[in-house]
Amino acid sequence: MRIFFRANATAAQVSRVEKQIAQLRFRYCRSKGEQGTVVAVIGDDALLESRDIAKLPGVDRLEKFSVTYKQASLEYRQNKSVVQVGDLQIGGDEVVVMAGPCSVEGREGLFEVAHRVKAAGASILRGGAFKPRTSPYSFQGLGHEGLQLLKDASQETGLLVVTEVMDTRHVDLVAQYADILQVGARNVQNFDLLREVGIAGKPVLLKRGMMTTIEEYMLCAEYILREGNEQVILCERGIRTFDSFTRNTLDICAVPAINSISHLPIIVDPSHGTGERQFVLPMARAGIAAGADGLMIEVHANPEQAFSDGPQSLTPDLFDDFMQAMQPLARAVGRRMKQPVRTRPRPDKE
Ligand code: PEP
Ligand code: MN
């Protein structure tokens, strides 16, 4: 239910209504935007209506949510939300870049890439320790050892870490090592996993599935929000269409579409979205021009030797060029690429 206030409602009147909602133990969000002051409430609508809230001073009217994905929607929060990860903000003016290898394969390659992407301006190191592979015979990731390598690289470079969690049994483990828990395209509707990462309370990067409609995707995010975890970052990474020329069809229109219905930050992954390194820069530009808040880019020290996704991985040199080439585009659409920060090793988090 959404409670709309009159333009001249006082802060005390709004607080009085919020107090009533708090007594009912309902979750709510106050926001001020195009529709004036609105308090959006998640709870039993009938119970709320029985409290005669519409008659309280300052209240204009009550309206039900028009969408099923309540908390993910702009009806719940009228202004864009910013996800704070350490010192970093995702969803603000600056375009944030997550970069690194598809899979964590070993210390040397990971550290080389970590130092190089950091120097070029990435803020977050990506890399899979648990890998969702189409074939069970393909490299499945280093697991726990990969998580430790990510943490070591993070401590040496100061980069934050995003890595995938595939299994509810691993959520606590991955959360000990990662700053952001990634839920991959194949697990976007693994509802138990969504609940668990919601409970874990860490920022979550939720990738769109290759067959997920935008409405279904919003409901996937809702599973995480429902657990009280508001730190959800969306990611368009390509969908499966009739055309197999590129690995996936990167649905750039999903960015303005989602921005028109949701307050959640959204990034674009042109590496998985295209499957080919030559298309990564143009589609990254398209993503930022369309309103994305960040990018996920695969970078490998030696793509020819990569255990996974070599053809779409940039070399560190190409990533330098990529970051330079993104700057004028970001400026043209009123954004800035987050600038490289002086290397500052992170203190051990434990
Ligand atoms: C990944 O980012 O490592 C990955 C497997 O991506 P996706 O889930 O989008 O396929
Ligand atoms: Mn990959």
Side-chain angles (χ1 to χ4, degrees):
M1 188 69 81
R2 306 167 73 211
I3 305 165
F4 290 77
F5 287 83
R6 296 184 204 284
N8 60 1
T10 65
Q13 288 171 338
V14 180
S15 299
R16 181 174 167 196
V17 171
E18 285 175 335
K19 221 167 144 187
Q20 291 242 12
I21 299 161
Q23 275 168 5
L24 292 167
R25 299 188 180 280
F26 290 165
R27 184 173 298 157
Y28 64 91
C29 172
R30 181 202 299 204
S31 65
K32 202 169 177 167
E34 262 173 35
Q35 301 190 294
T37 298
V38 177
V39 173
V41 186
I42 306 295
D44 182 341
D45 287 351
L47 189 56
L48 202 64
E49 277 169 327
S50 73
R51 292 286 171 120
D52 280 342
I53 286 186
K55 294 192 187 125
L56 289 177
V59 175
D60 182 48
R61 65 188 189 284
L62 268 58
E63 263 180 35
K64 288 197 161 68
F65 282 93
S66 72
V67 290
T68 47
Y69 43 91
K70 299 179 188 179
Q71 287 184 74
S73 78
L74 281 170
E75 293 185 7
Y76 185 68
R77 188 186 295 278
Q78 295 180 76
N79 315 108
K80 252 194 102 117
S81 50
V82 172
V83 172
Q84 185 84 35
V85 194
D87 293 343
L88 187 72
Q89 297 199 320
I90 303 176
D93 287 343
E94 291 187 318
V95 173
V96 169
V97 178
M98 314 180 178
C102 179
S103 304
V104 177
E105 300 171 359
R107 178 173 287 267
E108 209 182 315
L110 181 68
F111 275 55
E112 180 183 344
V113 167
H115 281 291
R116 291 291 304 270
V117 299
K118 162 92 183 192
S123 308
I124 301 172
L125 178 63
R126 64 143 288 138
F130 293 99
K131 292 301 303 175
R133 302 306 304 281
T134 303
S135 164
Y137 302 113
S138 302
F139 175 63
Q140 304 287 307
L142 294 180
H144 198 161
E145 185 192 341
L147 296 175
Q148 185 61 53
L149 291 175
L150 284 166
K151 185 164 185 175
D152 292 349
S154 158
Q155 279 167 358
E156 188 165 300
T157 58
L159 290 167
L160 297 160
V161 165
V162 60
T163 194
E164 180 160 354
V165 55
M166 290 169 53
D167 189 318
T168 51
R169 292 169 299 182
H170 294 154
V171 171
D172 290 344
L173 175 74
V174 178
Q176 283 170 34
Y177 292 87
D179 298 289
I180 305 175
L181 300 173
Q182 177 171 324
V183 174
R186 291 155 191 82
N187 263 322
V188 69
Q189 288 186 313
N190 180 339
F191 302 118
D192 286 335
L193 183 62
L194 298 177
R195 278 192 208 97
E196 288 300 321
V197 297
I199 292 164
K202 282 223 154 175
V204 177
L205 178 70
L206 178 65
K207 288 190 145 194
R208 181 180 180 191
M210 45 195 110
M211 297 192 300
T212 323
T213 66
I214 288 176
E215 183 166 4
E216 286 165 350
Y217 186 31
M218 291 296 100
L219 285 165
C220 298
E222 194 76 9
Y223 268 90
I224 302 169
L225 298 165
R226 173 98 178 75
E227 297 302 330
N229 184 351
E230 299 192 334
Q231 299 167 286
V232 178
I233 306 148
L234 303 172
C235 179
E236 166 57 40
R237 49 77 71 206
I239 53 174
R240 192 164 276 184
T241 66
F242 62 87
D243 200 336
S244 56
F245 186 84
T246 51
R247 181 178 177 185
N248 290 291
T249 298
L250 188 62
D251 182 8
I252 291 294
C253 193
V255 176
I258 287 172
N259 279 336
S260 76
I261 55 173
S262 176
H263 56 85
L264 296 172
I266 179 165
I267 70 165
V268 163
D269 171 354
S271 302
H272 294 91
T274 65
E276 261 193 69
R277 76 175 61 85
Q278 62 170 321
F279 301 140
V280 168
L281 173 63
M283 295 315 281
R285 283 176 156 161
I288 299 306
D293 302 299
L295 297 165
M296 171 169 268
I297 307 293
E298 285 192 340
V299 181
H300 194 282
N302 186 357
E304 273 63 52
Q305 304 291 320
F307 293 0
S308 56
D309 289 352
Q312 68 198 31
S313 299
L314 303 185
T315 61
D317 284 349
L318 285 174
F319 184 69
D320 285 345
D321 299 343
F322 170 88
M323 292 297 277
Q324 289 298 323
M326 283 306 298
Q327 291 198 20
L329 184 282
R331 276 198 300 273
V333 293
R335 306 291 282 267
R336 306 186 288 284
M337 298 300 288
K338 185 158 177 16
Q339 288 306 299
V341 282
R342 196 168 45 82
T343 301
R344 170 173 49 88
R346 303 170 79 197
D348 199 322
K349 282 180 283 180
E350 284 172 344

